Amino acid sequence: MNQSVQFGAGNIGRGFIGHLLWESNYRIVFVEAYSDLVKLLNSRSSYPLRLLEKNGQEKNVTINNLVAYQTEEKNNISKAIAASSIIFTAVGVKNLPAIAPLVADGIQLRLKKNPIPMNILLCENLKDAPQFFKNEVNNHLNTEGKQFLQEKVGFVGTVVARMVPVMDKRFGVDDPLFIVAEAYHKLPYDATAVKGVFPEISGLKPVQNFSSEVDKKLFIHNLGHATLAYFGYLKGYEYIHQAIADEEIKNLLDDVLNETSTSILRKYPDLDRVEVNEFVEDLKERFLNPLLMDTVYRVGRDPIRKLGEDDRIIGGIALCQSQKMFPAAIIKVAGVALNYDYDKDADALKLLNMIKEEGIEKVIQKLCGLDPENAIGEGIIRSYHQFRERFRK
């Protein structure tokens, strides 16, 4: 039986990758920092997963054939890496350096015991995650290990688009291992980064032009999600499916997705226009799914990061500009996002204080990397004030 190591047993690890591996009859080795979660997984050797379809149907499955190791169990982790067909990470970018020594130890053992190519799939929210993690792992290898890494270890980017909401009592199940996820089943990966023979795993989709998949995720999915979250919050909605059902918000979303999808098709002329349009329409259907009960607060969290010049909103503006498309709708979204002041989000409160202390013009310049006096900067500032006057009187 094939085996895979999954670093991270959180929402994506259990709610997406674990599901795909279970469907493919893999033995799953979870590596997790939280000891209580490790103990629970090992005591039951399974966990419940509820999949939510776009049509409103639910499917409950039990993911089994698994073992979990706490990150301190270095020998067990090394042995698992040496014997596995494929490795996944879903730990969060800031935690990648912490697991790099564990992966390096596993590579050193694999070199001795099972020196065949292996691939590490990075399910992380960072464009350059594969190269970043490769560098981190390389720092912990000896000369022989470094050579093996260069020749036989693939660090492979992925685009994670399955939505997994934060668990709480609203789903009616009192079980710390219970997890809910939408049934979206595709995990695109960078086929050009693969080393050796790639194993057959349910849902994994090889992509040659991986940059186009990254842009679709960031500037269609993530930017669309942000539009619903920030505008939905200002209008008093709690859930994403409520926000998209609002005609005004839906119209802005349509305009945003038209701007970004048109720009992406111009940037990547080899893409199939029908497929991109189907991707957009399918995404809007997924956002409408009331069973997900995905909150605007979860989707909108960390607004400072999401307003950064390389992230979804300002990056979407830059994408449109590069393709001679004026981003009128995204400019509105930037103004909405700058009004996000949810009092339980520390980042939102920090943003609010930055604007109070420095002024919106300075924040546009420092945070977004924009000139507050050009057409884009002036448009965002105008949008910010319009939404502030309307919703924060």
Side-chain angles (χ1 to χ4, degrees), residues 54-55 244 280-290:
K54 290 185 300 182
N55 61 10
I244 195 173
V280 170
E281 293 306 314
D282 178 70
L283 182 64
K284 288 189 283 191
E285 286 185 43
R286 291 162 59 199
F287 286 156
L288 273 166
N289 190 342

Side-chain angles (χ1 to χ4, degrees), residues 16-217:
F16 192 16
I17 308 305
H19 176 226
L20 299 183
L21 292 169
W22 173 79
E23 276 194 333
S24 306
N25 296 315
Y26 270 67
R27 181 174 186 264
I28 310 166
V29 179
F30 285 108
V31 178
E32 171 60 46
Y34 293 104
S35 58
D36 288 347
L37 180 53
V38 170
K39 290 174 184 175
L40 272 173
L41 286 168
N42 285 328
S43 68
R44 288 162 53 175
S45 299
S46 66
Y47 63 89
L49 172 65
R50 178 175 297 167
L51 298 169
L52 308 176
E53 300 281 358
K54 290 185 300 182
N55 61 10
Q57 294 184 337
E58 299 178 1
K59 181 182 180 181
N60 292 294
V61 297
T62 300
I63 308 298
N64 53 19
N65 191 26
L66 61 86
V67 67
Y69 296 132
Q70 209 267 337
T71 47
E72 302 299 319
E73 299 179 72
K74 296 180 181 180
N75 289 337
N76 286 333
I77 296 168
S78 292
K79 290 176 183 178
I81 291 173
S84 290
S85 304
I86 192 167
I87 314 295
F88 291 85
T89 79
V91 298
V93 174
K94 65 180 180 181
N95 296 313
L96 285 174
I99 67 169
L102 301 174
V103 173
D105 288 347
I107 288 173
Q108 297 281 183
L109 185 61
R110 188 183 186 96
L111 176 57
K112 295 177 183 177
K113 302 285 188 181
N114 184 32
I116 61 173
M118 63 180 284
N119 290 287
I120 302 171
L121 272 67
L122 281 295
C123 303
E124 310 293 349
N125 192 20
L126 176 68
K127 193 172 185 178
D128 299 321
Q131 187 61 52
F132 172 77
F133 192 52
K134 181 178 181 179
N135 293 340
E136 291 290 328
V137 174
N138 190 69
N139 290 337
H140 298 278
L141 294 170
N142 61 24
T143 302
E144 194 177 13
K146 291 178 191 292
Q147 183 177 353
F148 182 78
L149 178 141
Q150 292 297 330
E151 296 176 355
K152 294 189 176 182
V153 181
F155 288 79
V156 183
T158 70
V159 174
V160 176
R162 175 180 281 192
M163 291 178 276
V164 185
V166 174
M167 294 299 99
D168 60 31
K169 294 181 180 179
R170 70 186 186 275
F171 290 102
V173 176
D174 186 16
D175 181 347
L177 288 184
F178 175 68
I179 197 157
V180 171
E182 67 165 341
Y184 186 78
H185 204 255
K186 296 177 183 177
L187 181 66
Y189 66 90
D190 183 1
T192 66
V194 168
K195 297 291 179 71
V197 178
F198 197 84
E200 289 286 332
I201 298 176
S202 174
L204 266 63
K205 174 188 174 185
V207 177
Q208 295 295 326
N209 187 353
F210 188 65
S211 293
S212 67
E213 287 293 328
V214 173
D215 280 357
K216 283 166 58 182
K217 173 64 174 10

Side-chain angles (χ1 to χ4, degrees), residues 279-349:
F279 175 83
V280 170
E281 293 306 314
D282 178 70
L283 182 64
K284 288 189 283 191
E285 286 185 43
R286 291 162 59 199
F287 286 156
L288 273 166
N289 190 342
L291 296 177
L292 274 174
M293 290 189 283
D294 205 3
T295 67
V296 298
Y297 318 114
R298 184 198 75 82
V299 178
R301 66 190 175 192
D302 302 331
I304 290 177
R305 173 173 63 85
K306 290 170 181 173
L307 281 160
E309 58 185 300
D310 295 323
D311 212 283
R312 60 213 68 193
I313 299 172
I314 308 305
I317 287 172
L319 167 71
C320 291
Q321 288 183 294
S322 73
Q323 302 304 316
K324 312 301 181 188
M325 166 76 71
F326 188 75
I330 310 176
I331 285 172
K332 291 181 182 178
V333 174
V336 171
L338 285 160
N339 277 290
Y340 186 65
D341 57 1
Y342 180 48
D343 61 7
K344 293 182 180 178
D345 186 323
D347 207 48
L349 295 179

